[in-house]
């Protein structure tokens, strides 16, 4: 190396770097092709969250449901057609996943600024980060360069996403299947510090199905979630502060006020109890661990390079 001209050394180093970066995401992916991207997304999310704070939660859940089903590839955004059944109509998403219109609005603003350049998968990753931060949560650097899927998988959506009746061991193994540890799972579950849930997903827990529940809390929830009817009646997942991204969720769990059976499984005498206790008293530790785990979630099997496409309309393939 010492005898090679500098330019050759640089070239060699660059090609090593390029190789290492193959299939990898990068924070500067659009810095020359769409320099205003992050400003456009941030201000659109600020508007959407000002109009309806819950939207930050709905977008965050979309990102989780996108990434857990064949990677963060925007597949959840594809509409069903007469000849195509995608993820929107899968069990965990049907009549539940929301926020698609906000992603459409952001996408059209991004298209106006930088035509056919930015993927729907990357827009969802940025909008998610901004929504969390706008409700008082942490911020983080979003890795970019994901491309959009040309397909979606209803069966993978049905089998890869955990349900609200899941046990701790099921939750741990479903996250392990995505390369995420039990502690990543516990940190990511803190997403339930914002947003709302339908009665049908927690009725069993508040009507006698669970013993590990705060009786006062159960009675409160039964007021709007009766034994029969009211399936889609909403309740905040964090009883304390559903539009503030804080550590209230973990305080709820310690007080036996988890809304879903699956939430309370994180604090039910098992391996995650100590971490739940730590997060319940140390909001800064939760915020830092959540941000790290969100970056890992965002790195799940992205399509990169010439795989997939940059969709022009997030609802349909080009
Ligand atoms: C650990 C296993 C998990 C289970 C069993 C679970 C289950 C659920 C269920 C049943 C709902 C209510 C949906 C409805 O009523 O329509 C919900 C809402 C929500 N989930 Fe999860 N979830 C889990 C993990 C996560 C993760 C990892 C995130 C994000 C990182 C997340 C983010 C959210 C958000 C923000 C909402 C509220 C959405 C809104 O208000 O529109 N969840 N979850
Ligand atoms: C039940 O929840 C109330 C607040 O709703 C709280 O004051 C109380 O300490 C909780 N009880 C237990 C046993 O955790």
């Amino acid at each position: 190396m010492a005898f090679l001209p500098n330019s050759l050394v640089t070239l060699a180093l660059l090609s090593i770097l390029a190789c290492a970066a193959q299939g990898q995401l990068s924070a500067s992916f659009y810095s020359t092709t769409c320099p205003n991207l992050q400003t456009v997304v941030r201000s659109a999310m600020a508007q959407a969250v000002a109009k309806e704070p819950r939207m930050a939660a709905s977008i965050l859940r979309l990102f989780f449901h996108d990434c857990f089903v064949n990677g963060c590839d925007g597949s959840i955004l594809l509409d069903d057609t007469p000849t195509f059944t995608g993820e929107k109509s899968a069990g965990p998403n049907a009549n539940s996943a929301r926020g698609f219109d906000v992603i459409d609005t952001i996408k059209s603003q991004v298209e106006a600024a930088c035509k056919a350049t930015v993927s729907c998968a990357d827009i969802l990753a940025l909008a998610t980060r901004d929504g969390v931060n706008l409700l008082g949560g942490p911020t983080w650097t979003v890795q970019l360069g994901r491309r959009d899927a040309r397909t979606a998988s209803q069966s993978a959506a049905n089998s890869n996403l955990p349900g609200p009746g899941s046990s701790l061991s099921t939750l741990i193994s479903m996250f392990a299947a995505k390369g995420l540890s039990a502690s990543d799972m516990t940190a990511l579950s803190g997403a339930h510090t914002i947003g709302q849930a339908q009665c049908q997903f927690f009725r069993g827990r508040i009507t006698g199905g669970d013993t590990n529940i705060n009786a006062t809390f159960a009675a409160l929830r039964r007021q709007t979630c009766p034994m029969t009817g009211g399936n889609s009646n909403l309740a905040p997942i964090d009883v304390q502060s559903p539009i503030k991204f804080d550590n209230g969720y973990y305080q709820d769990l310690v007080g036996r006020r988890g809304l879903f059976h699956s939430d309370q499984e994180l604090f039910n005498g098992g391996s995650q109890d100590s971490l739940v206790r730590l997060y319940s008293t140390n909001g800064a530790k939760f915020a830092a661990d959540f941000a790290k785990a969100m970056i890992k979630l965002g790195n799940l099997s992205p399509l990169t390079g010439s795989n997939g496409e940059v969709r022009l309309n997030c609802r349909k393939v080009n």
Side-chain angles (χ1 to χ4, degrees):
M1 277 300 225
F3 301 101
L4 287 172
N6 267 334
S7 58
L8 271 185
V9 175
T10 308
L11 200 64
L13 282 174
L14 276 179
S15 59
I16 290 166
L17 281 175
C19 261
Q22 185 113 60
Q24 299 289 331
L25 304 174
S26 124
S28 59
F29 190 81
Y30 299 108
S31 58
T32 58
T33 55
C34 194
N36 293 331
L37 171 63
Q38 309 227 5
T39 315
V40 171
V41 175
R42 176 77 183 195
S43 66
M45 274 307 284
Q47 245 188 337
V49 171
K51 190 169 160 223
E52 187 199 8
R54 182 190 174 194
M55 192 49 70
S58 303
I59 300 285
L60 170 57
R61 184 165 187 246
L62 279 189
F63 183 64
F64 168 50
H65 284 201
D66 185 30
C67 293
F68 250 52
V69 182
N70 297 327
C72 312
D73 59 0
S75 54
I76 194 176
L77 304 173
L78 291 172
D79 280 344
D80 284 5
T81 74
T83 56
F84 166 81
T85 306
E87 294 168 20
K88 277 185 184 174
S89 53
N93 296 328
N95 300 312
S96 169
R98 62 196 291 279
F100 300 108
D101 45 345
V102 169
I103 297 300
D104 290 343
T105 301
I106 302 176
K107 173 67 171 174
S108 60
Q109 292 177 10
V110 169
E111 284 298 304
C114 324
K115 204 170 164 39
T117 303
V118 183
S119 66
C120 297
D122 278 344
I123 287 174
L124 182 55
L126 288 167
T128 295
R129 185 268 315 265
D130 289 340
V132 165
N133 185 242
L134 284 159
L135 291 190
T139 190
W140 57 90
T141 301
V142 176
Q143 297 293 111
L144 298 164
R146 300 169 189 81
R147 288 166 65 88
D148 298 320
R150 289 196 180 89
T151 56
S153 173
Q154 176 153 102
S155 60
N158 281 326
S159 59
N160 293 4
L161 291 165
S166 304
S167 65
L168 180 60
S169 63
T170 297
L171 294 174
I172 291 175
S173 64
M174 291 184 92
F175 279 71
K178 302 292 167 188
L180 296 168
S181 67
S183 13
D184 291 331
M185 186 273 292
T186 295
L188 288 170
S189 296
H192 286 175
T193 188
I194 55 173
Q196 304 275 324
Q198 302 173 53
C199 168
Q200 57 183 320
F201 298 122
F202 58 85
R203 176 183 283 122
R205 170 161 166 78
I206 61 165
T207 55
D210 276 4
T211 47
N212 189 14
I213 189 168
N214 183 312
T216 314
F217 171 72
L220 173 73
R221 282 290 151 263
R222 283 195 300 267
Q223 288 177 10
T224 52
C225 184
M227 275 307 271
T228 53
N231 276 356
S232 56
N233 290 359
L234 294 175
I237 310 183
D238 170 13
V239 63
Q240 310 187 68
S241 54
I243 60 169
K244 199 169 185 325
F245 198 100
D246 58 9
N247 62 341
Y249 169 78
Y250 300 98
Q251 296 167 0
D252 295 339
L253 298 187
V254 170
R256 269 79 183 171
R257 283 166 281 142
L259 186 61
F260 303 134
H261 175 82
S262 55
D263 288 324
Q264 198 62 58
E265 279 290 282
L266 303 184
F267 190 82
N268 190 23
S271 64
Q272 300 307 293
D273 278 26
S274 57
L275 191 55
V276 168
R277 250 187 221 292
L278 173 64
Y279 289 157
S280 76
T281 58
N282 190 338
K285 173 68 174 155
F286 162 57
D289 287 359
F290 181 80
K292 274 189 221 150
M294 284 297 289
I295 293 168
K296 284 197 201 173
L297 180 64
N299 283 341
L300 289 181
S301 343
L303 294 168
T304 55
S306 58
N307 294 315
E309 64 185 17
V310 172
R311 237 178 262 153
L312 298 176
N313 173 341
C314 294
R315 293 176 180 269
K316 49 186 195 191
V317 298
N318 291 344

